[in-house]
Structure formats: structure tokens, C-alpha cells
Amino acid sequence: MSRYNEMWRSLGLDMEAHDQLLEALPPTYHDVYLTQFGRPAGMKYFDFVVNEVHGLRIQELQEHREAGGKVIGAFCVFVPEEIVRAVGGICIGLCSGIDVGAAEAEKVLPRNICPLIKSSMGFKLTKVCPYFESCDMVVGETTCDGKKKAFEILNDYIPVHVMETPQMKKGRDRELWLGEVEDFAGLLERLTGNKITAETLSRSIREVNGKRRALMRLAEIRKNNPAPISGRDSLLIAQIAMYDDVERFTAQVDKLCDELEQKVRDGDGVFPAGTKRLIVTGTPMAFPNWKVPHIIETSGAVIVAEELCTGLRYFENEVPEDAAALDSQMENVAARYLGINCAVFTPNTARIDRLVQLVEEYRADGVVNCALSFCDPYAIEANRVEQTLKKKNIPLLKIETGYDREDAGQLKTRIEAFIEMLG
Ligand code: BJ8
């Protein structure tokens, strides 16, 4: 019996289903993470966070709520964390990376829908996620059609505020998005009773930038050969970034980076020098989806960067910190988010340009484009990725997969063949 049982019960979790979920995680985590060679000591903190994923962090959220604070859940990196923090709230990226409650979700959603959407609905309907049950509100977005329509249904079970993300990035789209960010700020002010001031927003901009800077420092270290940290560990850190305490997390990433920089000076790596270096691009890999990175890194290659929303798209580009007036700060926040290269935008050439640049910067040998099944935006944009990489003679492997393990063997065969082909 866990010491957190009382807390979980008070959140209304389905205790039996929740126990089953918690039992499923440790063996997978052990196989994917704890068996890695030469893992940095600094990963101990992140192991601890995973170990306490439904414990200590949930307790912190409850303490925050008991003190009058609000918890806001999100499923997309477009939701501006700075605004949530400026009203004293906590922004939590909700898990949607495991096949949970599919049968329940299929009662309200079509069967053939992106697993990320199905998983988020499944988590809510089966009441197994203490993060969901800790949220005062969930923020949705009009990114892809599946999410947009699913949020209407999710609103039957928890209050959902939907932000309208534009489809293009023209002048009027920028105005629309700025209006959405301002409306969101107004809504949060009413929800919390706290007014956003230039001081509170400026502070939260600096805090979230601090997190991004630490993650960017880690990303820079990964340019070294031999790779000082695995792609799996880097992905885990990006996933944890979305729900951990911002300042504590930032300090721990910086501490890990100190260790990794020493490893680089010592010529020490987690894979031998000369291991094929890959970049993964495509749909986000939400916690605890580690399937493809695990297969790649147990097939003879190392992932050196992720052009993903659980990667560079999440932490690249800071919000400028020099604006003193609230209006300009809001504009800066809105502009930073609209710079994210999600495949729901058209055209989205900046994503492909960035990918090519990353291949050069990280001296990658190839790219794996990974789209979740039934994700039209990324599956279709794979065509643009392929065309451009072909022109540049950059080897590409295109994958479409879900959260189940059924295709794991077939994926491994394809990935091994691709790595072998790299020479
Ligand atoms: S900014 S990538 S986090 S929308 S995988 S639900 S697109 S059908 S997750 Fe995303 Fe924001 Fe864009 Fe990033 Fe739809 Fe595709 Fe599913 Fe997706």
C-alpha cells in the first residue's frame, strides 16, 4: 500500500485501474532506462522524478491548490506557461503517451484516431491520472482537427478553454494569436483573482527562459562526439520539463550539464565514438512514449537531437526579457510561441529548413521521421521532409507507428537496415 493512497482517493482516482497503471511502468522504465551503459550520475534526479511521478509532484500540486493556487493542464507547447505563472498558477503538460483507457475513449471518439488524442481522453475517462484530476482547467488549441473536436468532448468532463491557433503566420494571424494570448491572460486573472502586472510577467518570462536555456545548454552539449548522453535520457528530461517545478528542474539540468561538460573534456561517451548519429523529427513523444528512441538506440545508433515538441521545438527561442511595459511583454510572449514550427501550419518550410540546419550542426548521419498513426499533418508533411532531404543527400527513414508494441519487431528490422545502410 502506498503512502499516497489517501491523496489519490481524495482526487477521485479509480484505485484499481491506477494500481495497474503504476505496475506497468517500472519494468518498461527499467528496460529502457536503467540498463543503459555509462549513464550520467545526474540522471538520478530524473529517475527520482519518474519514481515519484504520481507521488511527490502531485502532493506539491495539492499543497499549491490548498494555498489558493490553480493548476492548468495543457496538451500542446503553444500554451504559454509564462501567462499561467504570472497569475501564480502552475502549468502542467498532461501525459498522453501510453495506451490507457482506449476502450473508454472509443466510446466517445472514433477508433481510428491519433493515439495521443485517444490516450488523453482515455486518461480522463478512466480516472487514472492524478495530474488530470489536479487540474482546475485544461487548455486546448485548434491545432489539428482531431484535437480541436476532441476538446469539445473533453469539456463534458473537465472545464476546457480552447485557444485559437492560426493556420498561417501572416500579419493578421499574428494579431489573432496575440488576441488569444491576451484573452487567456484575462481568463486566468478572473479564475485566480490575480492581476498580471509587468513585474509578474517579467519574472515568469525570466523563469521559463531559464528552463529553456538549461535545456538548450544540454542540446548544445549533445553536438559532441562521442555522445555524452543518450537520446532516451534527453527525451525523458524534455518530458519531465513539462510537469516538474520550473526552478528545481532548471537547477538539476544545469547540474547535469556541468557533469556532461566534464565528460566531454574527458572524451567520455555513452556510445563509442563513430556510432551513427541520428535526428528524430515528427510528432511529439509524450510521456511515457519511449518506443522508437529505445529501438533506435538498441540498434546501433544514437539520437543526437529531436526536432519535436518534446525536444527543440519546446525550448528553442526565448521570449525577449528587455520589455518593460506589459503590452510589449505580451506581444513578445505571443510572437515567441507563434515561431513554433508545427505541421498544422501552412506553409511550414521553416521546420524543414531548421531540420537541414540541425543535420549540419549536429553532424548527423541521417534522419528518422516519426509520425503517430492517423496524424495527417505530420504524415503528409513527411513528403516535404523527404523531398528536401533527398536534394541534400541526407538519408531518411519514414516511420508511422502508435503506442502498441505489435510493430516493435518490424520497426527494429527497418531501423537496423537503415543504420546498416548508413555504412
Ligand atoms: S505544436 S505538434 S504539441 S499540436 S500527433 S494531436 S498534430 S493528430 S500533437 Fe502537437 Fe502542439 Fe503541434 Fe506540437 Fe494532432 Fe498529430 Fe495527434 Fe498531434
Side-chain angles (χ1 to χ4, degrees), residues 271 275-278 293 296-303 419 422:
F271 288 86
T275 301
K276 294 296 168 196
R277 299 163 65 84
L278 298 180
I296 291 176
E297 293 195 331
T298 50
S299 300
V302 55
I303 299 167
I419 296 168
L422 296 174

Side-chain angles (χ1 to χ4, degrees), residues 150-166:
F151 286 129
E152 291 174 9
I153 301 171
L154 191 62
N155 192 43
D156 293 345
Y157 306 95
I158 188 167
V160 178
H161 169 73
V162 177
M163 297 181 80
E164 184 174 354
T165 42

Side-chain angles (χ1 to χ4, degrees), residues 68-115:
K70 301 289 181 195
V71 176
I72 308 297
F75 287 107
C76 176
V77 296
F78 260 90
V79 177
E81 184 172 11
E82 292 86 346
I83 307 291
V84 178
R85 295 181 69 80
V87 292
I90 295 180
C91 188
I92 293 290
L94 292 168
C95 306
S96 43
I98 186 171
D99 231 345
V100 159
E104 282 301 304
E106 283 171 17
K107 288 181 186 164
V108 297
L109 292 172
R111 200 161 59 85
N112 291 341
I113 195 169
C114 147

Side-chain angles (χ1 to χ4, degrees), residues 53-176:
V53 65
H54 284 190
L56 216 54
R57 185 61 181 141
I58 299 297
Q59 195 173 301
E60 289 176 348
L61 297 183
Q62 299 323 309
E63 286 161 5
H64 169 76
R65 294 178 86 199
E66 279 156 21
K70 301 289 181 195
V71 176
I72 308 297
F75 287 107
C76 176
V77 296
F78 260 90
V79 177
E81 184 172 11
E82 292 86 346
I83 307 291
V84 178
R85 295 181 69 80
V87 292
I90 295 180
C91 188
I92 293 290
L94 292 168
C95 306
S96 43
I98 186 171
D99 231 345
V100 159
E104 282 301 304
E106 283 171 17
K107 288 181 186 164
V108 297
L109 292 172
R111 200 161 59 85
N112 291 341
I113 195 169
C114 147
L116 194 146
I117 299 173
K118 200 187 278 188
S119 164
S120 54
M121 192 67 78
F123 266 114
K124 181 61 196 157
L125 297 187
T126 50
K127 286 186 172 282
V128 291
C129 177
Y131 289 94
F132 234 132
E133 304 310 319
S134 300
C135 284
D136 295 284
M137 185 177 85
V138 166
V139 187
E141 3 72 41
T142 61
T143 45
C144 68
D145 285 352
K147 267 185 168 182
K148 185 167 66 189
K149 299 308 286 179
F151 286 129
E152 291 174 9
I153 301 171
L154 191 62
N155 192 43
D156 293 345
Y157 306 95
I158 188 167
V160 178
H161 169 73
V162 177
M163 297 181 80
E164 184 174 354
T165 42
Q167 304 285 293
M168 300 180 91
K169 294 184 181 178
K170 295 180 184 168
R172 61 174 177 265
D173 300 308
R174 291 178 188 279
E175 274 169 42
L176 168 91

Side-chain angles (χ1 to χ4, degrees), residues 185-200:
L187 175 80
L188 290 180
E189 286 181 334
R190 291 191 296 282
L191 182 75
T192 59
N194 298 333
K195 201 102 192 97
I196 299 181
T197 64
E199 285 69 37
T200 59

Side-chain angles (χ1 to χ4, degrees), residues 75 237 287:
F75 287 107
I237 293 168
F287 187 91

